[in-house]
């Protein structure tokens, strides 16, 4: 099999690395190097108090060096570079996820809200101190009683024309702002989201700049500045991770701020209390405001992929060095990477991580287009939001799965903090539910898929529907073909090899992935249809019954997007042998994704039982082909020992193995090695046979 | 649908609780109450040093109260009660997993090794101080370079007849003992596993009692006693969890211990150096010695189920109280438990946790039988080991999955340490790889399945094989019948309801689960057959190619055992309505297990596409039926707020919700509530329609 032997030469790692690091590769690499600074990196086992102070000092260092303000206006010392800013920001996680998220709170949420929800006068008043970290601030959106449901927050900001002030008020305990970075200790201001009420009308959620601590006063015993009057703060205390961030709660008891503290890009209140907004519909206004904050999701997506890459770099390097149980030659032990189960655990995750990185690169381009103003229509923003909502759940869960699998693949070593995986796992945990709960985000994507489906078919008559179906088929004629042919000739196929060939065809892969999304959405839409004429309760029940399936459809949609980005990226590799290997990796991504959902393909007649078997056998073949390239594929991520800071990824295990083997050889050469009782017995009774190592 | 409405009455929770807590329910409940003692429970955010000292003090308190010595001989102050001892030990995790595992190190590993590998004189010399904790000790088996491969450890114990001493020696860095609880700080002795060499012959791995620190000397700066000459200790430092335990490394440089420090039940050395053993075969001797240490796996299995129960009690209670997004009536918001996705996430885990508990109860009975001496043949021990090797991976992974799903299901609240889930998750992480890496254990089970298969068929002639097949069919005639019937009549079925009825039949469930294990094992055996005549390298390659599949077969075997234990346990419920609900839960376990492997059933022609669809729709139906009983099902676990110590499982969320609703009602009644701009707009332009809540 020439094809399998072809690809054992070293890959063109630099070409892959350029592709992975994408348009803002320089920013990424620059920040990666910053992240070796001891002032920025965390040390496992710190107390919460020490960690918090270290991270605050690190933030100040980044601010002083001008490393974190590129998204802000050039006029104010920024660079008007939204994409490059995010690319660099994502890499900060290499130093310490707490550092990254605290930077995200300060400049990505608190500062971004002022930038995107405020206007010129807000910018002049507030941004300089935010950018320099003179004013650390909280982003006070989430309430204890309302996590993902921002529209329902209960904090109010009631305008008082007599004093030209807003009165910010927390009506009950469930409306306390919660989980806010900078709120427990360091923050001296906050952007507070509240229902704007003026002249007895609630105009919906708006954002207000509110000083929360008195930075002019002496610090209290706790080291924090005293709270401003009417504001209560509570420490969220110890968390599952990210303990370098002082998350806390805030409550407001009739707290007054000047009228000008309303961030007034999407709604303003005149001195007399009259409300005006450039967006007439309250619903559209709300979503427009929220859409400006999409960068949180975009950057969590990218940061999660960074962590997945780091975990795989650690686990695969260890797998190439660590030996366990004697192999076929009964002399040296086998390296972990040569075990079938080990390949099965790690290589598909490498493939998914590539896919997630390429999708992220496309997402970041789109983000830059919108915020750069180049592609900033309503539709662009909606597409960006949907794409971010699809990408972030997949990558955050990927990071968690990758960290856990890597940690288990490193055994006891994986559990030691010195090898980094457990600390990253603890920190990344919350990425699955913050900036939008993953399940809720996928529901959002699912609803969008249903809406798009509905739009295409809603008001058609029968002839129109037929036309639509025909057009749809026309659009996809190219990649529909293989499946049509496949399903027709499925009974004729005798050999697995032939089938595997078909599965290598990208058009076939796309067809299988795409068909699943479309069919699932169509089925849900058809099931929901009868209930649309029912009562609200009936509609809710029908919708609830399909929730799990809708989430699954959204996930499938995200995987299809990953596949498309992966496939498009491959063209960027000039070296033919390298491209071939990366194509295998893309195939592995496609095939393991199809394998995961094999039951669906079988039930829905998209794959015959025989073809389905070839999916798994082709996956196994790809794993064998890719194994020799594992190290190159993780080297391309660009994280060396200085970034990984994991003892087992430094070559120490290989040294230990070499020392052990040298000892055994010396002892054997000396003739003083003890005889094994087993061999003694074998000589006595004449039975032989190689030793079989037994796991315990 | 009478059957669905029947079961909304409260369940006979006490009957379920008795069944779950099993034969040693009293010990379990007694220990659970102990675990509310502030001297035993951990507090999140402690420094490693403080946590270690707290746990050591807690251990002393347990020892002084005689709570942890029941496994030891009555003559020495124990109770000769292996089963009851483990049942109580498992519940210690409620207080603090570090406390449990450090107790496990002291009495379950260090003490147990002396008990089971030593003889009378060893017991008299060492056990009293171990039982009282006068001598905290390490269990020095694992080496840095050999985790699961104990047979290959490189530490030697060479007998010197001149001084009648063993010389314990560590030849190189990879042979350092590693990850040992009590080694970094508190331990003053260790049971050290080493290759016993005498008269130039290596008799394989044996255990030695070795003093490691000088408890008579003054403590060093670090607070620990000084090391004995020739012994080096290194702290493993901060870990992903279990930071109340002082894990560390030990190295021995020609350290001498008296001949009598060999734990000599399975091998002894006379003064002149002659080695004798009651077990002639070195291989069998090794496995017999290791088999005495099975209690580690047994107890980790049980402790993991305890944690899964705690996590589900927390998450489900919160799901019953927490409201998010307005429901169909647009007035009150919907509780999480009423969302389809939420039920899908949590209820199948409740079912799996029941299954894991019932299998554990059977495992513990079997363990007691062996160590009580009642059922202690070689075969009993092998069966016990295989059962433990099958149960422990499933339950430890279940605990991790349950903790993570529960944590995500509680959103940001789940990430706060005050709600317990993240701390338990961090501690439980290592359970997946210690006391036998889960993947390696499943391979062990897989090998046993292959061996059993081979034994039944190996030396048969054709007639014999036919007879065997007939017998096998006869054995299973009872539960084979439904499937045979099903596959014959599969094309005749029109209605899904009819198919769902069939899936409720336990005989059908067993058939589907069992058939999968048997078929997979058979296929692997047949694939391996040709390679058996090949070279060692060919055999190794063939075996490696089937590793992933073999692990999957072992998992399927474990799930079948869980199903059988669950099914057998149900008969113990006297209340008919309660039994009906628990049967639904068992059905949910069976059906979600089948659903997970649906592709296999389809590919192998066990289920038609139509029947496969009914699996998922029947699962959905079961979830709806079980939803009203969720709280009762987790109440039966027996963990109240005093055990869970999770703020969100105390009813505080319900209070917050009630307060919020009361506020809204008051405001509305007062007539001072602001008008919503949206409704204002609606009145103006005449458009209406209910508000649709949108997730963000």
């Amino acid at each position: 099999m020439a094809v399998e032997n072809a690809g054992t030469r070293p890959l063109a790692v630099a070409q892959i690395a350029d592709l992975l690091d994408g348009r803002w590769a320089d920013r990424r690499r620059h920040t990666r190097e910053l992240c070796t600074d001891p002032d920025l990196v965390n040390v496992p086992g710190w107390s919460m108090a020490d960690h918090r102070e270290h991270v605050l000092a690190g933030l100040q260092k980044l601010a002083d060096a001008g490393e974190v303000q590129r998204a802000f206006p050039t006029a104010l010392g920024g660079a008007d570079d939204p994409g490059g800013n995010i690319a660099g920001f994502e890499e900060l996680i290499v130093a310490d996820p707490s550092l990254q998220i605290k930077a995200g709170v300060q400049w990505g949420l608190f500062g971004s809200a002022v930038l995107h929800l405020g206007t010129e006068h807000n910018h002049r008043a507030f941004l300089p101190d935010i950018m320099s970290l003179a004013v650390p601030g909280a982003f006070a959106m989430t309430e204890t009683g309302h996590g993902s449901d921002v529209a329902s927050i209960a904090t109010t900001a009631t305008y008082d024309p007599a004093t030209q002030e807003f009165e910010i008020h927390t009506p009950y305990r469930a409306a306390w702002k919660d989980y806010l970075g900078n709120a427990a200790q360091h923050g001296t201001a906050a952007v507070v989201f509240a229902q704007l009420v003026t002249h007895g009308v609630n105009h919906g959620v708006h954002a207000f700049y509110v000083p929360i601590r008195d930075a002019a006063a002496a610090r209290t015993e706790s080291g924090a500045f005293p709270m401003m009057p009417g504001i209560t703060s509570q420490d969220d205390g110890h968390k599952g991770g990210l303990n370098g961030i002082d998350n806390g709660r805030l409550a407001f008891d009739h707290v007054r701020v000047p009228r000008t503290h309303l961030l007034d890009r999407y709604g303003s209140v005149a001195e007399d209390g009259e409300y005006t907004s450039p967006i007439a519909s309250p619903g559209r206004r709300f979503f427009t405001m929220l859409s400006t904050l999409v960068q949180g999701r975009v950057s969590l997506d990218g940061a999660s992929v960074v962590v997945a890459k780091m975990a795989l770099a650690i686990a695969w390097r260890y797998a190439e060095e660590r030996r366990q149980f004697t192999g076929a030659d009964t002399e040296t032990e086998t390296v972990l990477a040569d075990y079938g189960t080990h390949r099965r655990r790690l290589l598909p995750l490498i493939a998914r991580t590539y896919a997630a990185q390429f999708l992220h690169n496309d997402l970041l381009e789109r983000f830059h287009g919108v915020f750069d103003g180049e592609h900033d229509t309503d539709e662009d923003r909606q597409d960006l939001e949907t794409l971010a909502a699809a990408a972030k759940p997949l990558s955050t869960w990927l990071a968690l799965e990758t960290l856990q699998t890597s940690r288990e693949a490193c055994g006891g070593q994986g559990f030691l903090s010195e090898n980094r995986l457990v600390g990253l796992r603890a920190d990344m945990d919350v990425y699955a539910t913050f900036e939008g709960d993953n399940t809720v985000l996928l529901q959002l994507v699912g609803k969008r898929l249903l809406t798009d489906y509905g739009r295409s078919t809603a008001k058609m008559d029968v002839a129109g529907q037929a036309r639509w179906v025909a057009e749809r088929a026309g659009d996809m004629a190219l990649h529909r073909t293989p499946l049509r042919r496949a399903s027709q000739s499925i009974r004729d196929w005798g050999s697995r090899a032939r089938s595997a060939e078909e599965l290598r065809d990208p058009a076939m892969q796309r067809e299988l992935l795409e068909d699943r999304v479309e069919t699932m959405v169509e089925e849900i839409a058809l099931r929901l249809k009868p209930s649309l004429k029912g009562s609200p309760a009936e509609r809710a029940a029908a919708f609830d019954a399909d929730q799990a399936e809708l989430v699954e459809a959204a996930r499938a949609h995200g995987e299809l997007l990953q596949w498309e980005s992966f496939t498009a990226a491959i063209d960027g590799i000039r070296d033919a042998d390298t491209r071939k290997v990366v194509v295998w990796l893309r195939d592995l991504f496609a095939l393991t994704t199809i394998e995961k959902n094999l039951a669906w393909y079988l039930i829905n007649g998209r794959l015959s039982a025989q073809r389905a078997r070839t999916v798994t056998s082709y996956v196994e073949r790809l794993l064998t082909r890719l194994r020799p390239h594992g190290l190159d594929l993780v080297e391309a991520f660009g994280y060396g020992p200085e970034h990984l800071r994991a003892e087992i990824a430094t070559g120490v295990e290989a040294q230990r193995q070499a020392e052990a083997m040298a000892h055994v050889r010396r002892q054997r050469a000396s003739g003083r090695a003890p005889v094994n009782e087993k061999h003694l017995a074998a000589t006595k009774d004449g039975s032989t046979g190689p030793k079989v190592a037994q796991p315990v």
Side-chain angles (χ1 to χ4, degrees), chain A:
Chain A
M1 307 264 285
V3 72
E4 299 202 11
N5 297 329
T8 53
R9 270 164 299 168
L11 303 183
V13 171
Q15 286 183 28
I16 309 178
D18 286 345
L19 213 59
L20 287 166
D21 287 344
R23 173 168 168 189
W24 293 277
D26 290 348
R27 292 301 313 159
R28 289 197 182 280
R29 290 165 191 174
H30 169 76
T31 312
R32 231 172 259 170
E33 291 321 303
L34 280 185
C35 288
T36 59
D37 179 351
D39 289 344
L40 302 183
V41 311
N42 62 328
V43 172
W46 271 340
S47 72
M48 196 167 81
D50 289 348
H51 196 180
R52 285 180 176 184
E53 290 312 312
H54 189 268
V55 167
L56 180 65
L59 236 56
Q60 191 63 63
K61 188 166 184 173
L62 288 170
D64 294 347
E67 293 289 353
V68 279
Q69 296 97 337
R70 299 183 62 83
F72 294 99
T74 311
L76 295 171
D80 283 311
D81 178 14
N85 178 66
I86 295 288
F89 170 72
E90 288 165 2
E91 299 286 331
L92 283 181
I93 205 165
V94 171
D96 177 2
S98 286
L99 180 82
Q100 193 218 17
I101 295 299
K102 185 139 169 152
V105 168
Q106 177 67 17
W107 296 291
L109 292 172
F110 175 53
S112 242
V114 172
L115 177 64
H116 295 303
L117 302 180
T119 56
E120 188 69 24
H121 76 98
N122 299 133
H123 296 173
R124 278 197 315 274
F126 307 128
L127 279 185
D129 284 351
I130 293 175
M131 290 168 68
S132 71
L133 198 63
V135 173
F139 180 78
M141 177 187 269
T142 300
E143 297 178 357
T144 305
H146 289 100
S148 297
D149 183 6
V150 177
S152 299
I153 57 168
T155 303
T156 50
T158 310
Y159 185 66
D160 178 359
T163 61
Q164 298 191 16
E165 289 172 320
F166 285 101
E167 190 179 87
I168 314 282
H169 186 64
T170 307
Y172 41 77
R173 175 63 187 82
W176 281 44
K177 298 294 178 181
D178 208 344
Y179 320 116
L180 320 174
N182 278 335
Q185 204 171 343
H186 298 142
T188 56
V191 165
V192 179
F193 288 80
Q195 307 284 351
L196 188 161
V197 177
T198 179
H199 291 328
V201 177
N202 180 350
H203 292 280
V205 176
H206 288 68
F208 301 82
Y209 184 93
V210 183
I212 61 169
R213 283 189 176 84
D214 185 359
R219 289 177 189 269
T220 66
E221 276 171 40
S222 73
F225 292 113
M227 301 308 294
M228 298 295 272
I231 302 183
T232 308
S233 154
Q234 224 177 47
D235 201 316
D236 274 325
H238 195 268
K239 303 184 296 293
L242 298 181
N243 278 304
I245 307 171
D246 55 324
N247 291 84
R249 307 180 180 111
L250 291 176
F252 303 87
D253 183 9
H254 301 93
V255 172
R256 289 186 164 244
V257 294
R259 188 180 63 94
T260 52
H261 280 212
L262 167 64
L263 303 178
D264 58 359
R265 178 163 168 197
Y266 296 107
S268 58
V269 171
E271 293 183 1
D272 66 356
E274 185 172 322
Y275 178 86
T276 51
S277 168
I279 304 178
S281 151
R284 223 189 113 222
R285 187 190 312 142
F286 175 69
F287 289 110
T288 304
M289 288 173 66
L290 287 185
S291 77
T292 64
L293 304 168
V294 70
Q295 78 176 60
R297 285 174 196 163
V298 173
S299 59
L300 294 191
D301 178 53
S304 299
V305 184
V306 170
V307 169
K309 290 189 289 189
M310 292 170 68
L312 290 165
I314 294 168
W316 191 265
R317 277 168 208 207
Y318 187 64
E320 291 272 7
E321 296 183 2
R322 169 69 171 199
R323 292 173 182 278
Q324 187 86 307
F325 296 111
T326 42
D329 63 1
T330 74
E331 189 71 15
T332 53
E333 293 166 297
T334 308
V335 294
L336 298 186
D338 282 330
Y339 282 103
T341 47
H342 219 77
R343 285 195 296 275
R344 247 290 177 183
R345 284 157 97 177
L346 294 179
L347 287 174
L349 289 171
I350 294 178
R352 274 167 64 193
T353 298
Y354 269 68
Q357 180 69 62
F358 291 128
L359 177 59
H360 175 70
N361 292 353
D362 290 347
L363 172 63
L364 194 54
E365 290 270 9
R366 200 179 281 248
F367 168 81
H368 187 76
V370 166
F371 283 84
D372 196 29
E374 269 187 51
H375 303 283
D376 187 13
T377 66
D378 260 19
E379 202 179 10
D380 287 328
R381 288 193 176 237
Q382 277 171 28
D383 286 351
L384 171 63
E385 266 199 276
T386 306
L387 190 57
K392 182 255 179 183
L394 267 58
S395 58
T396 51
W397 276 327
L398 169 67
L400 289 179
E401 185 181 339
T402 303
L403 284 162
Q404 187 60 22
T405 303
S406 299
R407 138 51 208 135
E408 292 183 25
C410 296
Q413 290 284 8
F415 194 58
L416 301 186
S417 298
E418 68 177 29
N419 292 319
R420 200 83 195 276
L421 297 166
V422 283
L424 287 171
R425 170 72 183 63
D427 289 330
M428 294 301 296
D429 186 354
V430 77
Y431 286 52
T433 54
F434 74 178
E435 289 283 332
D437 178 281
N438 280 358
T439 303
V440 176
L441 288 180
L442 288 179
Q443 284 175 297
L444 208 66
V445 174
K447 282 180 187 169
R448 170 72 188 268
L449 293 172
L450 281 178
T451 308
D452 285 358
Y453 176 82
R455 267 192 206 132
S456 322
T457 59
K459 288 165 189 172
M460 290 180 197
D461 53 17
V462 175
Q465 287 202 14
R467 214 165 36 242
W468 177 79
V469 168
E471 277 166 21
R472 190 159 159 267
D475 277 355
M476 302 180 195
L478 187 70
H479 54 262
R480 286 254 158 186
T481 315
L483 189 73
R484 295 276 172 268
R485 179 158 47 77
S487 34
Q488 280 158 16
S489 61
I490 218 154
R491 285 176 195 282
D492 309 333
W493 292 355
S495 90
R496 285 199 182 188
R498 173 86 190 285
S499 311
E501 287 302 309
E502 298 271 337
L503 289 169
R504 284 178 51 196
D505 181 349
M508 175 78 170
Q509 293 173 11
R510 181 201 297 267
E511 169 61 24
L512 286 168
L513 295 171
E514 198 170 57
D515 190 26
R516 181 157 177 264
V517 184
E518 286 169 4
T519 307
M520 284 173 91
V521 170
E522 197 155 15
E523 283 182 357
I524 297 168
L526 291 174
R527 276 201 301 273
L528 287 176
K529 216 171 177 184
S531 73
L532 292 180
K533 293 173 187 162
S535 69
E538 281 163 350
R539 271 187 289 164
F543 192 72
D544 184 65
D546 267 314
Q547 264 193 103
E549 178 100 357
L550 188 63
V551 165
E552 197 45 41
R555 191 195 312 267
H557 174 67
E559 287 164 346
L560 169 64
L561 296 175
Q562 288 182 330
W563 182 91
E564 285 177 341
S565 293
F566 200 155
T567 300
I570 290 172
D571 293 335
I573 302 176
R574 297 176 307 279
D575 179 74
D577 282 352
T578 300
R579 193 166 55 239
K580 188 189 288 174
V581 172
V582 180
V583 165
W584 290 340
L585 196 67
R586 193 274 322 271
D587 291 349
L588 181 63
F589 172 69
L591 277 281
T592 48
T593 303
I594 291 165
E595 188 185 37
K596 193 178 64 172
N597 303 305
L598 215 45
W600 188 91
Y601 291 102
L602 287 155
I603 289 176
N604 292 280
R606 262 61 169 191
L607 290 175
S608 68
Q610 192 193 354
R611 170 72 68 98
R613 276 180 193 272
T614 68
V615 171
T616 296
S617 61
Y618 190 47
V619 165
E620 293 294 333
R621 209 197 296 174
L622 287 168
L623 293 173
T624 307
R625 283 182 186 171
L626 286 166
R627 188 257 168 274
H629 305 289
L631 207 52
D632 280 347
L633 290 171
V634 300
E635 291 281 351
F637 294 151
Y639 300 101
E642 71 279 20
H643 308 112
L644 299 174
R645 306 199 313 276
E647 180 71 9
I648 49 169
T650 58
V652 66
E653 178 65 24
Q655 279 170 33
R656 283 195 293 254
Q657 301 279 351
E659 188 204 348
M661 284 190 247
H663 172 90
V664 170
R665 275 195 300 272
R666 270 198 313 278
Q667 208 193 27
R668 204 168 288 159
S670 75
R672 287 197 314 271
V675 183
N676 198 310
E677 182 192 340
K678 213 176 270 182
H679 298 158
L680 218 60
T683 317
K684 276 182 196 164
D685 68 10
S687 76
T688 54
K691 177 183 161 214
V692 177
Q694 286 282 356
V696 170

